[in-house]
mmCIF file of all heavy atoms in Angstrom:
data_model
loop_
_atom_site.group_PDB
_atom_site.id
_atom_site.type_symbol
_atom_site.label_atom_id
_atom_site.label_comp_id
_atom_site.label_asym_id
_atom_site.label_seq_id
_atom_site.Cartn_x
_atom_site.Cartn_y
_atom_site.Cartn_z
ATOM 1 N N GLN F 1 0.801 -1.183 -0.001
ATOM 2 C CA GLN F 1 -0.011 -0.001 0.006
ATOM 3 C C GLN F 1 0.863 1.241 0.054
ATOM 4 O O GLN F 1 2.104 1.193 0.138
ATOM 5 C CB GLN F 1 -0.896 -0.019 1.241
ATOM 6 C CG GLN F 1 -0.148 0.104 2.543
ATOM 7 C CD GLN F 1 -1.072 -0.122 3.749
ATOM 8 O OE1 GLN F 1 -1.592 -1.105 4.018
ATOM 9 N NE2 GLN F 1 -1.115 0.926 4.628
ATOM 10 N N ALA F 2 0.169 2.393 -0.116
ATOM 11 C CA ALA F 2 0.887 3.633 -0.081
ATOM 12 C C ALA F 2 1.472 3.880 1.346
ATOM 13 O O ALA F 2 0.876 3.486 2.354
ATOM 14 C CB ALA F 2 -0.205 4.798 -0.337
ATOM 15 N N LEU F 3 2.640 4.489 1.242
ATOM 16 C CA LEU F 3 3.438 4.727 2.561
ATOM 17 C C LEU F 3 4.315 5.930 2.370
ATOM 18 O O LEU F 3 4.937 6.177 1.334
ATOM 19 C CB LEU F 3 4.268 3.506 2.843
ATOM 20 C CG LEU F 3 4.817 3.373 4.273
ATOM 21 C CD1 LEU F 3 3.727 3.270 5.288
ATOM 22 C CD2 LEU F 3 5.811 2.229 4.414
ATOM 23 N N GLY F 4 4.340 6.745 3.383
ATOM 24 C CA GLY F 4 5.146 7.944 3.315
ATOM 25 C C GLY F 4 6.646 7.651 3.309
ATOM 26 O O GLY F 4 7.085 6.558 3.591
ATOM 27 N N GLY F 5 7.361 8.664 2.819
ATOM 28 C CA GLY F 5 8.785 8.497 2.589
ATOM 29 C C GLY F 5 9.605 8.135 3.855
ATOM 30 O O GLY F 5 10.553 7.326 3.819
ATOM 31 N N THR F 6 9.233 8.828 4.959
ATOM 32 C CA THR F 6 9.976 8.520 6.218
ATOM 33 C C THR F 6 9.796 7.082 6.626
ATOM 34 O O THR F 6 10.714 6.406 7.045
ATOM 35 C CB THR F 6 9.559 9.503 7.258
ATOM 36 O OG1 THR F 6 9.825 10.849 6.947
ATOM 37 C CG2 THR F 6 10.198 9.210 8.603
ATOM 38 N N GLU F 7 8.527 6.656 6.680
ATOM 39 C CA GLU F 7 8.219 5.266 7.029
ATOM 40 C C GLU F 7 8.891 4.241 6.170
ATOM 41 O O GLU F 7 9.483 3.276 6.561
ATOM 42 C CB GLU F 7 6.753 5.039 7.026
ATOM 43 C CG GLU F 7 5.976 5.766 8.145
ATOM 44 C CD GLU F 7 5.569 7.167 7.696
ATOM 45 O OE1 GLU F 7 6.098 7.632 6.660
ATOM 46 O OE2 GLU F 7 4.735 7.812 8.370
ATOM 47 N N ALA F 8 8.887 4.493 4.751
ATOM 48 C CA ALA F 8 9.562 3.687 3.832
ATOM 49 C C ALA F 8 11.084 3.578 4.142
ATOM 50 O O ALA F 8 11.647 2.556 4.067
ATOM 51 C CB ALA F 8 9.324 4.068 2.400
ATOM 52 N N THR F 9 11.653 4.705 4.425
ATOM 53 C CA THR F 9 13.039 4.729 4.779
ATOM 54 C C THR F 9 13.388 3.985 6.099
ATOM 55 O O THR F 9 14.352 3.205 6.101
ATOM 56 C CB THR F 9 13.539 6.191 4.923
ATOM 57 O OG1 THR F 9 13.353 6.888 3.633
ATOM 58 C CG2 THR F 9 15.009 6.351 5.306
ATOM 59 N N VAL F 10 12.551 4.133 7.079
ATOM 60 C CA VAL F 10 12.782 3.342 8.336
ATOM 61 C C VAL F 10 12.767 1.865 8.063
ATOM 62 O O VAL F 10 13.594 1.111 8.525
ATOM 63 C CB VAL F 10 11.680 3.694 9.373
ATOM 64 C CG1 VAL F 10 11.734 2.756 10.555
ATOM 65 C CG2 VAL F 10 11.884 5.156 9.831
ATOM 66 N N ILE F 11 11.757 1.440 7.274
ATOM 67 C CA ILE F 11 11.693 -0.005 6.898
ATOM 68 C C ILE F 11 12.921 -0.456 6.256
ATOM 69 O O ILE F 11 13.572 -1.513 6.609
ATOM 70 C CB ILE F 11 10.469 -0.230 5.995
ATOM 71 C CG1 ILE F 11 9.149 -0.069 6.828
ATOM 72 C CG2 ILE F 11 10.468 -1.681 5.427
ATOM 73 C CD1 ILE F 11 7.896 -0.077 5.965
ATOM 74 N N ARG F 12 13.451 0.285 5.187
ATOM 75 C CA ARG F 12 14.624 -0.168 4.461
ATOM 76 C C ARG F 12 15.795 -0.339 5.332
ATOM 77 O O ARG F 12 16.595 -1.303 5.258
ATOM 78 C CB ARG F 12 14.801 0.703 3.268
ATOM 79 C CG ARG F 12 13.754 0.646 2.146
ATOM 80 C CD ARG F 12 14.163 1.320 0.917
ATOM 81 N NE ARG F 12 13.200 1.158 -0.126
ATOM 82 C CZ ARG F 12 12.371 2.082 -0.536
ATOM 83 N NH1 ARG F 12 12.416 3.214 0.017
ATOM 84 N NH2 ARG F 12 11.499 1.827 -1.414
ATOM 85 N N ILE F 13 16.055 0.762 6.154
ATOM 86 C CA ILE F 13 17.241 0.750 6.964
ATOM 87 C C ILE F 13 17.145 -0.312 8.118
ATOM 88 O O ILE F 13 18.099 -1.023 8.317
ATOM 89 C CB ILE F 13 17.514 2.123 7.593
ATOM 90 C CG1 ILE F 13 17.812 3.149 6.465
ATOM 91 C CG2 ILE F 13 18.610 2.067 8.598
ATOM 92 C CD1 ILE F 13 19.104 2.803 5.750
ATOM 93 N N ALA F 14 16.049 -0.378 8.773
ATOM 94 C CA ALA F 14 15.792 -1.321 9.895
ATOM 95 C C ALA F 14 15.965 -2.713 9.408
ATOM 96 O O ALA F 14 16.529 -3.620 10.031
ATOM 97 C CB ALA F 14 14.530 -1.052 10.626
ATOM 98 N N ASP F 15 15.367 -2.988 8.278
ATOM 99 C CA ASP F 15 15.394 -4.390 7.775
ATOM 100 C C ASP F 15 16.834 -4.723 7.329
ATOM 101 O O ASP F 15 17.303 -5.841 7.640
ATOM 102 C CB ASP F 15 14.449 -4.505 6.521
ATOM 103 C CG ASP F 15 13.006 -4.594 6.944
ATOM 104 O OD1 ASP F 15 12.729 -4.558 8.118
ATOM 105 O OD2 ASP F 15 12.178 -4.704 5.988
ATOM 106 N N ALA F 16 17.603 -3.848 6.712
ATOM 107 C CA ALA F 16 18.943 -4.118 6.355
ATOM 108 C C ALA F 16 19.821 -4.293 7.504
ATOM 109 O O ALA F 16 20.785 -5.160 7.470
ATOM 110 C CB ALA F 16 19.455 -2.908 5.503
ATOM 111 N N LEU F 17 19.553 -3.615 8.631
ATOM 112 C CA LEU F 17 20.382 -3.791 9.926
ATOM 113 C C LEU F 17 19.879 -4.855 10.786
ATOM 114 O O LEU F 17 20.382 -5.221 11.779
ATOM 115 C CB LEU F 17 20.378 -2.529 10.681
ATOM 116 C CG LEU F 17 21.040 -1.240 10.028
ATOM 117 C CD1 LEU F 17 20.792 -0.005 10.875
ATOM 118 C CD2 LEU F 17 22.516 -1.508 9.926
ATOM 119 N N GLU F 18 18.708 -5.511 10.350
ATOM 120 C CA GLU F 18 18.004 -6.452 11.287
ATOM 121 C C GLU F 18 17.741 -5.911 12.601
ATOM 122 O O GLU F 18 17.892 -6.532 13.627
ATOM 123 C CB GLU F 18 18.824 -7.761 11.275
ATOM 124 C CG GLU F 18 19.028 -8.474 9.922
ATOM 125 C CD GLU F 18 19.663 -9.754 10.031
ATOM 126 O OE1 GLU F 18 20.320 -10.007 11.040
ATOM 127 O OE2 GLU F 18 19.591 -10.502 9.099
ATOM 128 N N ALA F 19 17.321 -4.657 12.565
ATOM 129 C CA ALA F 19 17.016 -3.935 13.863
ATOM 130 C C ALA F 19 15.568 -4.017 14.189
ATOM 131 O O ALA F 19 14.710 -4.357 13.373
ATOM 132 C CB ALA F 19 17.342 -2.449 13.666
ATOM 133 N N LEU F 20 15.230 -3.848 15.511
ATOM 134 C CA LEU F 20 13.854 -3.839 15.962
ATOM 135 C C LEU F 20 13.203 -2.446 15.554
ATOM 136 O O LEU F 20 13.931 -1.421 15.435
ATOM 137 C CB LEU F 20 13.741 -4.006 17.422
ATOM 138 C CG LEU F 20 14.330 -5.272 18.052
ATOM 139 C CD1 LEU F 20 14.184 -5.332 19.558
ATOM 140 C CD2 LEU F 20 13.648 -6.539 17.414
ATOM 141 N N VAL F 21 11.900 -2.421 15.408
ATOM 142 C CA VAL F 21 11.200 -1.234 15.082
ATOM 143 C C VAL F 21 10.017 -1.215 16.072
ATOM 144 O O VAL F 21 9.213 -2.111 16.106
ATOM 145 C CB VAL F 21 10.628 -1.121 13.669
ATOM 146 C CG1 VAL F 21 9.876 0.119 13.372
ATOM 147 C CG2 VAL F 21 11.796 -1.228 12.687
ATOM 148 N N VAL F 22 9.872 -0.082 16.815
ATOM 149 C CA VAL F 22 8.786 0.093 17.727
ATOM 150 C C VAL F 22 7.970 1.302 17.262
ATOM 151 O O VAL F 22 8.599 2.375 17.018
ATOM 152 C CB VAL F 22 9.242 0.274 19.194
ATOM 153 C CG1 VAL F 22 8.177 0.721 20.079
ATOM 154 C CG2 VAL F 22 9.870 -1.053 19.627
ATOM 155 N N GLN F 23 6.721 1.173 17.190
ATOM 156 C CA GLN F 23 5.853 2.354 16.845
ATOM 157 C C GLN F 23 4.946 2.639 18.042
ATOM 158 O O GLN F 23 4.418 1.761 18.719
ATOM 159 C CB GLN F 23 5.025 1.996 15.609
ATOM 160 C CG GLN F 23 5.810 1.895 14.351
ATOM 161 C CD GLN F 23 5.467 0.639 13.498
ATOM 162 O OE1 GLN F 23 4.555 -0.066 13.757
ATOM 163 N NE2 GLN F 23 6.355 0.423 12.461
ATOM 164 N N HIS F 24 4.742 3.956 18.259
ATOM 165 C CA HIS F 24 4.012 4.381 19.465
ATOM 166 C C HIS F 24 2.537 3.802 19.514
ATOM 167 O O HIS F 24 2.008 3.653 20.588
ATOM 168 C CB HIS F 24 3.967 5.958 19.479
ATOM 169 C CG HIS F 24 3.052 6.511 18.434
ATOM 170 N ND1 HIS F 24 1.826 7.083 18.736
ATOM 171 C CD2 HIS F 24 3.346 6.667 17.123
ATOM 172 C CE1 HIS F 24 1.325 7.488 17.622
ATOM 173 N NE2 HIS F 24 2.157 7.345 16.610
ATOM 174 N N ASN F 25 1.983 3.548 18.328
ATOM 175 C CA ASN F 25 0.548 3.132 18.255
ATOM 176 C C ASN F 25 0.394 1.692 17.903
ATOM 177 O O ASN F 25 -0.706 1.244 17.597
ATOM 178 C CB ASN F 25 -0.160 4.006 17.244
ATOM 179 C CG ASN F 25 0.560 4.153 15.940
ATOM 180 O OD1 ASN F 25 1.579 3.514 15.660
ATOM 181 N ND2 ASN F 25 0.034 5.013 14.976
ATOM 182 N N ARG F 26 1.541 0.998 17.933
ATOM 183 C CA ARG F 26 1.350 -0.523 17.645
ATOM 184 C C ARG F 26 0.818 -1.200 18.864
ATOM 185 O O ARG F 26 1.369 -1.089 20.016
ATOM 186 C CB ARG F 26 2.741 -1.122 17.212
ATOM 187 C CG ARG F 26 2.677 -2.569 16.900
ATOM 188 C CD ARG F 26 4.072 -3.085 16.283
ATOM 189 N NE ARG F 26 4.148 -2.699 14.899
ATOM 190 C CZ ARG F 26 3.534 -3.475 13.897
ATOM 191 N NH1 ARG F 26 2.851 -4.567 14.193
ATOM 192 N NH2 ARG F 26 3.726 -3.064 12.619
ATOM 193 N N THR F 27 -0.136 -2.081 18.705
ATOM 194 C CA THR F 27 -0.797 -2.808 19.829
ATOM 195 C C THR F 27 -0.426 -4.271 19.785
ATOM 196 O O THR F 27 -0.781 -5.012 20.739
ATOM 197 C CB THR F 27 -2.294 -2.667 19.784
ATOM 198 O OG1 THR F 27 -2.836 -3.138 18.504
ATOM 199 C CG2 THR F 27 -2.667 -1.130 19.982
ATOM 200 N N GLU F 28 0.162 -4.804 18.733
ATOM 201 C CA GLU F 28 0.495 -6.220 18.617
ATOM 202 C C GLU F 28 1.793 -6.347 17.930
ATOM 203 O O GLU F 28 2.035 -5.805 16.820
ATOM 204 C CB GLU F 28 -0.620 -6.896 17.811
ATOM 205 C CG GLU F 28 -0.454 -8.421 17.813
ATOM 206 C CD GLU F 28 -1.584 -9.103 17.131
ATOM 207 O OE1 GLU F 28 -2.776 -8.575 17.219
ATOM 208 O OE2 GLU F 28 -1.439 -10.212 16.436
ATOM 209 N N SER F 29 2.751 -7.151 18.515
ATOM 210 C CA SER F 29 4.095 -7.368 17.934
ATOM 211 C C SER F 29 3.953 -8.325 16.796
ATOM 212 O O SER F 29 3.129 -9.266 16.737
ATOM 213 C CB SER F 29 5.063 -7.821 18.980
ATOM 214 O OG SER F 29 5.326 -6.858 19.947
ATOM 215 N N SER F 30 4.820 -8.160 15.784
ATOM 216 C CA SER F 30 4.956 -9.058 14.606
ATOM 217 C C SER F 30 6.364 -9.039 14.194
ATOM 218 O O SER F 30 6.947 -8.088 13.567
ATOM 219 C CB SER F 30 4.069 -8.570 13.491
ATOM 220 O OG SER F 30 4.126 -9.401 12.338
ATOM 221 N N GLY F 31 7.080 -10.203 14.507
ATOM 222 C CA GLY F 31 8.533 -10.280 14.076
ATOM 223 C C GLY F 31 9.381 -9.205 14.777
ATOM 224 O O GLY F 31 9.263 -8.998 16.033
ATOM 225 N N ARG F 32 10.022 -8.421 13.991
ATOM 226 C CA ARG F 32 10.954 -7.391 14.535
ATOM 227 C C ARG F 32 10.161 -6.051 14.807
ATOM 228 O O ARG F 32 10.740 -5.149 15.307
ATOM 229 C CB ARG F 32 12.095 -7.123 13.615
ATOM 230 C CG ARG F 32 13.144 -8.319 13.603
ATOM 231 C CD ARG F 32 14.315 -7.994 12.758
ATOM 232 N NE ARG F 32 13.989 -7.802 11.322
ATOM 233 C CZ ARG F 32 13.768 -6.660 10.718
ATOM 234 N NH1 ARG F 32 13.907 -5.572 11.423
ATOM 235 N NH2 ARG F 32 13.447 -6.556 9.445
ATOM 236 N N TYR F 33 8.929 -6.038 14.415
ATOM 237 C CA TYR F 33 8.079 -4.839 14.615
ATOM 238 C C TYR F 33 7.313 -5.047 15.879
ATOM 239 O O TYR F 33 6.449 -5.926 16.009
ATOM 240 C CB TYR F 33 7.188 -4.661 13.419
ATOM 241 C CG TYR F 33 7.994 -4.216 12.190
ATOM 242 C CD1 TYR F 33 8.647 -5.078 11.481
ATOM 243 C CD2 TYR F 33 8.081 -2.846 11.844
ATOM 244 C CE1 TYR F 33 9.444 -4.664 10.350
ATOM 245 C CE2 TYR F 33 8.845 -2.467 10.772
ATOM 246 C CZ TYR F 33 9.546 -3.363 10.003
ATOM 247 O OH TYR F 33 10.341 -3.024 8.951
ATOM 248 N N ARG F 34 7.594 -4.202 16.917
ATOM 249 C CA ARG F 34 7.207 -4.458 18.317
ATOM 250 C C ARG F 34 6.384 -3.365 18.900
ATOM 251 O O ARG F 34 6.416 -2.169 18.463
ATOM 252 C CB ARG F 34 8.456 -4.685 19.251
ATOM 253 C CG ARG F 34 9.455 -5.699 18.737
ATOM 254 C CD ARG F 34 8.907 -7.094 18.924
ATOM 255 N NE ARG F 34 9.980 -8.066 18.436
ATOM 256 C CZ ARG F 34 10.933 -8.506 19.260
ATOM 257 N NH1 ARG F 34 11.136 -8.031 20.447
ATOM 258 N NH2 ARG F 34 11.736 -9.480 18.752
ATOM 259 N N THR F 35 5.668 -3.714 19.861
ATOM 260 C CA THR F 35 4.917 -2.729 20.807
ATOM 261 C C THR F 35 5.942 -2.116 21.718
ATOM 262 O O THR F 35 6.902 -2.674 22.075
ATOM 263 C CB THR F 35 3.802 -3.460 21.557
ATOM 264 O OG1 THR F 35 4.372 -4.396 22.395
ATOM 265 C CG2 THR F 35 2.801 -4.058 20.612
ATOM 266 N N PRO F 36 5.652 -0.931 22.208
ATOM 267 C CA PRO F 36 6.559 -0.309 23.255
ATOM 268 C C PRO F 36 6.595 -1.069 24.575
ATOM 269 O O PRO F 36 5.503 -1.317 25.177
ATOM 270 C CB PRO F 36 5.920 1.096 23.495
ATOM 271 C CG PRO F 36 5.021 1.251 22.229
ATOM 272 C CD PRO F 36 4.558 -0.052 21.913
ATOM 273 N N GLU F 37 7.762 -1.545 24.908
ATOM 274 C CA GLU F 37 7.873 -2.246 26.236
ATOM 275 C C GLU F 37 9.355 -2.121 26.656
ATOM 276 O O GLU F 37 10.284 -1.997 25.842
ATOM 277 C CB GLU F 37 7.464 -3.657 26.075
ATOM 278 C CG GLU F 37 8.204 -4.468 24.993
ATOM 279 C CD GLU F 37 7.727 -5.914 24.823
ATOM 280 O OE1 GLU F 37 6.545 -6.082 25.031
ATOM 281 O OE2 GLU F 37 8.546 -6.750 24.429
ATOM 282 N N LYS F 38 9.450 -2.158 27.951
ATOM 283 C CA LYS F 38 10.852 -1.868 28.541
ATOM 284 C C LYS F 38 11.825 -2.962 28.108
ATOM 285 O O LYS F 38 11.501 -4.253 28.231
ATOM 286 C CB LYS F 38 10.756 -1.855 30.078
ATOM 287 C CG LYS F 38 12.014 -1.335 30.707
ATOM 288 C CD LYS F 38 11.806 -0.890 32.144
ATOM 289 C CE LYS F 38 13.033 -0.161 32.735
ATOM 290 N NZ LYS F 38 12.759 0.383 34.075
ATOM 291 N N ASN F 39 12.987 -2.554 27.710
ATOM 292 C CA ASN F 39 14.051 -3.514 27.323
ATOM 293 C C ASN F 39 15.380 -2.954 27.563
ATOM 294 O O ASN F 39 15.947 -2.118 26.834
ATOM 295 C CB ASN F 39 13.918 -3.799 25.799
ATOM 296 C CG ASN F 39 14.793 -4.907 25.291
ATOM 297 O OD1 ASN F 39 15.743 -5.242 25.992
ATOM 298 N ND2 ASN F 39 14.575 -5.455 24.158
ATOM 299 N N PRO F 40 15.955 -3.345 28.727
ATOM 300 C CA PRO F 40 17.352 -2.747 29.122
ATOM 301 C C PRO F 40 18.435 -3.321 28.220
ATOM 302 O O PRO F 40 19.638 -2.801 28.377
ATOM 303 C CB PRO F 40 17.458 -3.202 30.574
ATOM 304 C CG PRO F 40 16.608 -4.409 30.711
ATOM 305 C CD PRO F 40 15.451 -4.221 29.720
ATOM 306 N N ASP F 41 18.199 -4.279 27.351
ATOM 307 C CA ASP F 41 19.317 -4.884 26.515
ATOM 308 C C ASP F 41 19.512 -4.088 25.223
ATOM 309 O O ASP F 41 20.472 -4.300 24.540
ATOM 310 C CB ASP F 41 18.879 -6.315 26.082
ATOM 311 C CG ASP F 41 18.862 -7.197 27.425
ATOM 312 O OD1 ASP F 41 19.577 -6.952 28.353
ATOM 313 O OD2 ASP F 41 18.031 -8.165 27.329
ATOM 314 N N ILE F 42 18.665 -3.138 24.965
ATOM 315 C CA ILE F 42 18.867 -2.276 23.698
ATOM 316 C C ILE F 42 20.092 -1.392 23.936
ATOM 317 O O ILE F 42 20.169 -0.668 24.961
ATOM 318 C CB ILE F 42 17.613 -1.503 23.426
ATOM 319 C CG1 ILE F 42 16.414 -2.367 23.166
ATOM 320 C CG2 ILE F 42 17.883 -0.574 22.273
ATOM 321 C CD1 ILE F 42 16.668 -3.297 21.927
ATOM 322 N N THR F 43 21.052 -1.399 22.994
ATOM 323 C CA THR F 43 22.208 -0.526 23.170
ATOM 324 C C THR F 43 22.115 0.712 22.355
ATOM 325 O O THR F 43 22.837 1.714 22.719
ATOM 326 C CB THR F 43 23.483 -1.354 22.697
ATOM 327 O OG1 THR F 43 23.287 -1.768 21.365
ATOM 328 C CG2 THR F 43 23.702 -2.560 23.577
#
């Protein structure tokens, strides 16, 4: 679907780095795309 340039850029970079992605309004985690929750292991 249609997607803004910033969001598309986040996806490309995060996927290439195999990084986690958290969105403020996400209510259900899916793979590396997560809900906001405490994680002291993030560097």
Side-chain angles (χ1 to χ4, degrees):
Q1 66 188 60
L3 193 65
T6 298
E7 291 87 346
T9 297
V10 170
I11 290 171
R12 290 193 177 104
I13 294 298
D15 285 2
L17 294 172
E18 297 185 343
L20 301 177
V21 179
V22 170
Q23 293 133 5
H24 70 104
N25 50 6
R26 180 173 282 278
T27 58
E28 185 175 330
S29 295
S30 175
R32 291 183 297 99
Y33 290 79
R34 308 286 182 83
T35 59
E37 57 186 29
K38 192 162 188 174
N39 188 344
D41 295 329
I42 297 298
T43 57

